[in-house]
Amino acid sequence: MSGPEVAKTPGGGGPGKEGKEPVANGHTGESSDANPFAEYMWMENEEEYNRQVEEELLEQEFLERCFQEMLEEEDQDWFIPSRDLNNQGVAQLQQQLNGLSVSDHHSNLEEVARKSILNPEAKEFVPGKKY
């Protein structure tokens, strides 16, 4: 219950309300119809509030666990040579990479063009242009 709601309860008003003068402890003078528990009315929904906070904390913990699992799965999906290959595998990859080469032989290009099954009369492709 918030401040305005407490003020509406019997005895829940601030000092000096309802024509009562505050006494030494800051509370209004006691009368026969005053609610002796008025100062504790804010606790009325304490269990509900605690349950709500606990649910939020559990949800936050669940989301953090899911996020951590997602990161772990992502780490497993990535290929990391230092982690995923033993030393022999790395050496084998290095040998294969060293064996690769790029050649600029024009004779190969002419041979590829002769053996090609592409249509030499076809229009040139231009991205974004509709034919």
Side-chain angles (χ1 to χ4, degrees):
M1 212 182 265
S2 64
E5 293 170 340
V6 172
K8 294 178 186 174
T9 61
K17 299 283 182 179
E18 301 173 6
K20 299 177 189 166
E21 292 299 319
V23 290
N25 63 3
H27 297 291
T28 57
E30 296 294 324
S31 67
S32 60
D33 64 337
N35 183 353
F37 302 106
E39 66 184 271
Y40 302 104
M41 293 303 288
W42 65 270
M43 299 171 129
E44 181 178 28
N45 297 323
E46 185 177 15
E47 288 85 19
E48 176 67 23
Y49 175 78
N50 287 343
R51 185 189 59 76
Q52 195 174 32
V53 168
E54 187 175 347
E55 282 180 7
E56 289 175 6
L57 290 173
L58 289 174
E59 182 180 351
Q60 183 179 7
E61 180 184 339
F62 175 74
L63 289 174
E64 287 174 7
R65 274 196 323 250
C66 288
F67 188 71
Q68 188 63 34
E69 287 177 16
M70 181 188 69
L71 289 176
E72 289 171 4
E73 286 177 8
E74 190 174 278
D75 284 346
Q76 291 173 358
D77 290 345
W78 286 91
F79 175 72
I80 303 172
S82 61
R83 180 192 71 192
D84 297 336
L85 294 175
N86 54 19
N87 290 336
Q88 187 178 16
V90 173
Q92 186 181 10
L93 273 178
Q94 286 176 340
Q95 283 180 339
Q96 289 175 349
L97 288 173
N98 290 338
L100 295 176
S101 65
V102 178
S103 62
D104 284 337
H105 299 295
H106 293 291
S107 61
N108 280 345
L109 293 175
E110 293 170 0
E111 186 177 328
V112 169
R114 266 198 330 260
K115 293 181 180 178
S116 174
I117 57 171
L118 297 175
N119 182 358
E121 304 299 322
K123 294 181 181 178
E124 183 179 350
F125 173 75
V126 179
K129 183 177 178 184
K130 294 185 179 184
Y131 296 98

